[in-house]
Amino acid sequence: MAFDSVRLKKFMKIYGKSEVIFEESSFGSEMYVVLSGGVKIYRVSAEDEIEHTIIKPGEFFGEMALVDNAPRSASACAIEDDTGLVAVDKDKFLFLVSHQPTFALAVMHSLCKRIRTLSESDSTVVNPT
């Protein structure tokens, strides 16, 4: 997705390296668009931290909390200093989904990609070759 970062700067929040954006199991009221830097999505197990993905500029994350109102399934933290994010609350999200079909399709595409990735990794674990 292409974003006009000049217009969005007034809505941007800057995070420092390793700064937590949200934690697994917390309830969320916003999704985020990465304008600069990067974000690590991860889970913490009893033994260690499991990295799921890195979100880069132009990508978004946290949308599941707006779709299903369930607790966050993972944690997110900035991986670079000056990571710039724009938060999109539920009202803005619903407006964008209802008025911008390309936004709705981008969200669906992202969710499908994540489901496929999880399905493929689960089948590798269940059926090792």
Side-chain angles (χ1 to χ4, degrees):
M1 290 183 92
F3 297 98
D4 184 352
S5 61
V6 174
R7 289 185 190 177
L8 293 176
K9 282 197 184 220
K10 63 182 176 180
F11 303 107
M12 188 173 8
K13 181 170 181 191
I14 304 296
Y15 290 84
K17 185 175 182 176
S18 301
E19 189 173 349
V20 174
I21 299 155
F22 57 73
E23 293 183 333
E24 182 179 354
S25 300
S26 64
F27 282 90
S29 59
E30 298 172 320
M31 66 173 281
Y32 300 88
V33 178
V34 180
L35 295 183
S36 61
V39 174
K40 175 173 64 174
I41 306 298
Y42 64 97
R43 297 184 81 181
V44 178
S45 71
E47 298 84 37
D48 58 2
E49 182 179 288
I50 303 161
E51 182 178 304
H52 285 288
T53 192
I54 300 295
I55 309 295
K56 299 173 190 147
E59 298 177 333
F60 55 87
F61 64 98
E63 72 282 356
M64 288 172 49
L66 300 181
V67 173
D68 66 5
N69 297 317
R72 302 274 189 189
S73 61
S75 297
C77 74
I79 58 171
E80 298 176 29
D81 281 327
D82 298 323
T83 292
L85 305 179
V86 171
V88 177
D89 66 21
K90 188 152 191 165
D91 288 339
K92 289 182 188 103
F93 176 80
L94 292 174
F95 177 84
L96 287 168
V97 166
S98 64
H99 290 82
Q100 297 290 328
T102 54
F103 176 79
L105 285 171
V107 170
M108 287 187 280
H109 175 76
S110 175
L111 291 171
C112 288
K113 183 177 170 185
R114 292 175 191 165
I115 290 168
R116 283 189 196 281
T117 301
L118 285 173
S119 295
E120 290 167 2
S121 66
D122 282 349
S123 67
T124 306
V125 172
V126 174
N127 300 315
T129 54

